[in-house]
């Protein structure tokens, strides 16, 4: 089955270069296993320290955004409690454009989210999309 990487080899090369520019390295083992572009790296946060991240591009990239996972981090909000992926954009598909990059999510949106979570209070509330989320059940 052809993937976006087959259909858009120039975009693949551009995404990889952008990921490397922001300090992320392609995870060749994950790519071989999943047939999806995956990369690993880290960001620094004053509150959370060194945060290890994995980005995985969907089959439908660039039409849908990649997922960014921080499985070593446990946030009370803006993170899937089961898989560890971060909520970096509003759910609306208008929040992602086909010319956006995974590197942009990693270098701009992750620090923004971590900064808002560190600041809390009004800054966090003002920076959040007004939407309800299910509360994870324990047990």
């Amino acid at each position: 089955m052809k993937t976006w990487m087959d259909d858009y080899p120039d975009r693949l090369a551009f995404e990889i270069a952008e990921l490397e520019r922001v300090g992320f390295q392609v995870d060749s083992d994950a790519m071989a296993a999943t047939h999806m572009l995956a990369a690993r790296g880290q960001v620094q946060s004053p509150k959370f320290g060194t945060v290890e991240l994995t980005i995985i591009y969907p089959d439908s990239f660039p039409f849908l955004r990649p997922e960014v996972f921080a499985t070593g981090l446990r946030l009370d909000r803006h993170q899937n409690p089961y898989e560890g992926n971060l909520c970096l954009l509003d759910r609306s598909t208008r929040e992602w454009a086909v010319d956006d990059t995974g590197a942009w999510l990693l270098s701009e949106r992750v620090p923004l989210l971590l900064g808002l979570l560190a600041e809390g209070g009004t800054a966090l509330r003002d920076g959040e999309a007004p939407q309800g989320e299910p509360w994870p059940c324990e047990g």
Side-chain angles (χ1 to χ4, degrees):
M1 179 174 95
K2 285 180 66 173
T3 68
W4 73 269
M5 296 181 287
D6 299 316
D7 289 337
Y8 305 106
D10 292 341
R11 180 65 187 259
L12 173 62
F14 177 72
E15 287 294 321
I16 291 171
E18 286 294 288
L19 289 168
E20 290 173 348
R21 181 183 62 77
V22 298
F24 280 68
Q25 296 300 312
V26 170
D27 184 337
S28 299
D29 293 335
M31 279 186 67
T34 64
H35 305 288
M36 291 190 263
L37 177 57
R40 295 182 190 278
Q42 50 189 227
V43 297
Q44 299 297 320
S45 164
K47 179 175 180 172
F48 300 102
T50 301
V51 179
E52 300 286 336
L53 299 172
T54 300
I55 185 168
I56 300 176
Y57 289 68
D59 291 335
S60 51
F61 184 82
F63 305 104
L64 293 178
R65 59 188 172 215
E67 290 287 342
V68 177
F69 295 83
T71 56
L73 191 62
R74 288 290 168 240
L75 302 174
D76 291 334
R77 48 200 312 158
H78 301 291
Q79 183 182 35
N80 180 309
Y82 304 107
E83 295 182 19
N85 51 312
L86 301 174
C87 300
L88 300 172
L89 300 172
D90 190 349
R91 286 186 182 183
S92 171
T93 56
R94 289 182 299 245
E95 294 292 314
W96 177 260
V98 296
D99 56 345
D100 288 338
T101 67
W104 170 73
L105 288 174
L106 297 165
S107 65
E108 299 290 329
R109 299 302 296 190
V110 170
L112 175 65
L113 172 63
L114 297 178
L116 288 172
L117 290 168
E119 193 169 342
T122 304
L124 176 58
R125 188 174 52 252
D126 291 347
E128 292 177 317
Q131 64 188 35
E133 296 291 340
W135 188 260
C137 298
E138 298 291 327

